[in-house]
Amino acid sequence: MDKIQEMITSIDLNNVLKIFDIQIAVAVALMFILFRGVFSSIIIKIYYLIVKKNKKPKESSVYKYFSVLFVFIGVYLSINILPTNRKLKSIMTQLFEAALILFITKCLTTITHEDSYIYKKIFKKDNKTVNTFISKIIRGVMWVISFFVISFRLGFGKDLSGLFTALGIFSAALALAAQEIVKSLIGGMEILTDKPFVIGDWIEVGEHQGTVIDITYRSTRLKSPNNAIVTIPNSVITAESIINWNRLTSRRFETTLNLSLETTSEKVKKIVKEIKLVLENNKSVVRDSVQVHVSEIAASSINIFIYMYVKETEYTKFLRVKEELLCTLLFLAEKENIDLAYPTQTLYLRKGEEDFK
């Protein structure tokens, strides 16, 4: 009888302990879930105090990742408190470690982003192109390392030697398939070392032209005049001739003003002098480069060739200056009552002998 009572008492005690463990586990999980925002804000605030940055924690790019991490911590601690079997605890431990590795990798890649505070402190600010390139390489290496570490922790590490052997077998085929990628990678390094252009420059490569918006290890992206994004492999860029319009100190502008054949020689001489005088006094024009000459007396026009250099090198601003100069030429022609020529053709009809009979 005493033994039965002891068994009942022990069973009741075990049930009470299990219920107590469950309550503690639920309380721990709820605490981390409900206060995940508070915990995340505290950690981010400490970081902002260290770097002396005045910013709200919720505005941080890693705030949501901290929140998810604290939920994982709560669930992990709850399962370890519950009276579960070792296998389930081992699986949860592996999953928690994988989540922790992903979280740390994400934080490190955020810190090593080219726009982050710490990255700007370490690297020079005046070379945005190189900083962007190095940042992408660092982040890519971090993700590859984290993938192998997670694979090892989840139990796939035992077969990694076989994986490397398989990669060795297919290395020749992959090398053939990756020839263009390797060329583009080498081309990217050449662009970074030679610096024929940087982000923000207006360049012309072959049949493509536009503003450089991004330079990666494999390709360069241009924003064309019609706002289309053009992606060019670096191997193609290094093989072509590159025109960097931003490196110019001035742009050439030339046009031909076609006057009608009825224009007198006096008016022609006068308008040539006026055009040259107006252009030489224009602030957007390089004074010594102005050339205005009668170049040809064609079948239907008297052609005045106009040649100069414009100080504005940026393409969109250059177009505005070009428009202004063309309107000035039209105004001068109207002022002198000179008509502009247009292609014409005169047809002469010959009467036959029957018309004279």
Side-chain angles (χ1 to χ4, degrees):
M1 191 69 179
D2 294 335
K3 289 182 179 180
I4 295 173
Q5 288 180 349
E6 288 179 2
M7 290 176 63
I8 293 172
T9 303
S10 63
I11 292 171
D12 292 339
L13 183 60
N14 288 332
N15 291 333
V16 171
L17 291 174
K18 288 181 179 179
I19 294 172
F20 184 68
D21 289 340
I22 293 171
Q23 290 175 343
I24 293 176
V26 172
V28 170
L30 289 175
M31 182 184 69
F32 277 92
I33 292 172
L34 295 175
F35 293 98
R36 64 186 186 277
V38 177
F39 297 151
S40 303
S41 298
I42 292 172
I43 294 175
I44 295 173
K45 279 183 179 179
I46 294 172
Y47 168 73
Y48 283 160
L49 288 174
I50 294 173
V51 299
K52 298 178 180 180
K53 194 173 183 180
N54 187 14
K55 191 176 179 181
K56 294 181 180 179
K58 290 186 178 181
E59 296 177 357
S60 173
S61 57
V62 295
Y63 176 82
K64 59 182 179 181
Y65 300 107
F66 270 105
S67 300
V68 174
L69 177 66
F70 281 115
V71 172
F72 267 96
I73 293 174
V75 174
Y76 173 71
L77 293 177
S78 299
I79 292 180
N80 278 275
I81 293 172
L82 290 173
T84 54
N85 56 33
R86 292 182 179 179
K87 187 175 182 180
L88 179 60
K89 289 183 178 181
S90 176
I91 294 173
M92 286 305 302
T93 300
Q94 290 177 344
L95 293 176
F96 176 73
E97 289 177 352
L100 186 62
I101 293 169
L102 289 175
F103 170 76
I104 294 173
T105 305
K106 182 60 183 177
C107 289
L108 291 175
T109 53
T110 302
I111 291 173
T112 53
H113 193 274
E114 62 268 18
D115 294 327
S116 67
Y117 176 84
I118 295 177
Y119 193 87
K120 288 179 179 179
K121 283 289 184 181
I122 297 173
F123 294 91
K124 295 180 180 180
K125 298 180 181 179
D126 57 347
N127 200 338
K128 186 177 179 181
T129 304
V130 177
N131 289 350
T132 303
F133 189 81
I134 295 174
S135 173
K136 289 180 179 180
I137 291 177
I138 292 174
R139 283 180 286 163
V141 171
M142 285 182 179
W143 282 115
V144 171
I145 293 173
S146 66
F147 169 77
F148 279 105
V149 172
I150 290 173
S151 299
F152 182 79
R153 294 302 301 167
L154 292 179
F156 301 106
K158 298 177 181 178
D159 299 326
L160 286 180
S161 58
L163 175 63
F164 290 132
T165 303
L167 289 175
I169 296 174
F170 291 103
S171 60
L174 291 175
L176 292 174
Q179 281 184 355
E180 290 300 322
I181 297 176
V182 173
K183 289 180 181 178
S184 296
L185 179 60
I186 296 173
M189 297 302 297
E190 289 180 5
I191 291 172
L192 291 176
T193 53
D194 294 340
K195 297 179 183 178
F197 56 83
V198 295
I199 293 175
D201 284 352
W202 181 282
I203 66 171
E204 184 174 344
V205 181
E207 60 182 7
H208 302 291
Q209 61 176 326
T211 304
V212 181
I213 59 175
D214 190 20
I215 302 174
T216 66
Y217 64 91
R218 196 187 67 84
S219 62
T220 298
R221 293 183 178 88
L222 305 181
K223 187 175 183 181
S224 64
N226 59 357
N227 288 330
I229 305 301
V230 182
T231 302
I232 309 174
N234 290 330
S235 58
V236 175
I237 293 178
T238 52
E240 293 279 352
S241 297
I242 304 171
I243 302 175
N244 190 336
W245 293 104
N246 282 60
R247 302 285 175 87
L248 297 175
T249 56
S250 60
R251 275 180 179 263
R252 186 180 68 181
F253 169 60
E254 62 181 53
T255 187
T256 301
L257 192 63
N258 301 321
L259 308 182
S260 66
L261 288 174
E262 287 76 15
T263 307
T264 62
S265 59
E266 292 181 0
K267 285 188 175 182
V268 172
K269 290 181 179 180
K270 186 176 180 181
I271 196 171
V272 167
K273 290 180 180 179
E274 286 188 2
I275 290 173
K276 189 171 184 179
L277 181 63
V278 171
L279 293 178
E280 287 177 346
N281 291 306
N282 192 306
K283 295 181 180 179
S284 302
V285 177
V286 179
R287 182 183 177 88
D288 297 335
S289 67
V290 178
Q291 298 290 331
V292 183
H293 301 283
V294 178
S295 61
E296 183 184 7
I297 300 177
S300 60
S301 64
I302 301 172
N303 300 335
I304 299 177
F305 179 70
I306 303 167
Y307 174 92
M308 75 201 80
Y309 278 93
V310 177
K311 296 177 182 178
E312 191 59 64
T313 57
E314 187 179 342
Y315 187 69
T316 53
K317 294 181 179 179
F318 168 74
L319 291 178
R320 297 191 190 101
V321 174
K322 182 178 178 180
E323 178 184 1
E324 178 189 344
L325 294 173
L326 291 174
C327 290
T328 300
L329 296 176
L330 291 175
F331 172 77
L332 292 174
E334 292 174 1
K335 179 183 175 183
E336 296 299 328
N337 294 321
I338 297 175
D339 295 328
L340 298 181
Y342 53 89
T344 59
Q345 187 175 12
T346 303
L347 179 63
Y348 294 94
L349 297 177
R350 183 176 179 180
K351 292 183 179 181
E353 292 183 359
E354 64 276 5
D355 297 331
F356 295 95
K357 292 179 181 179

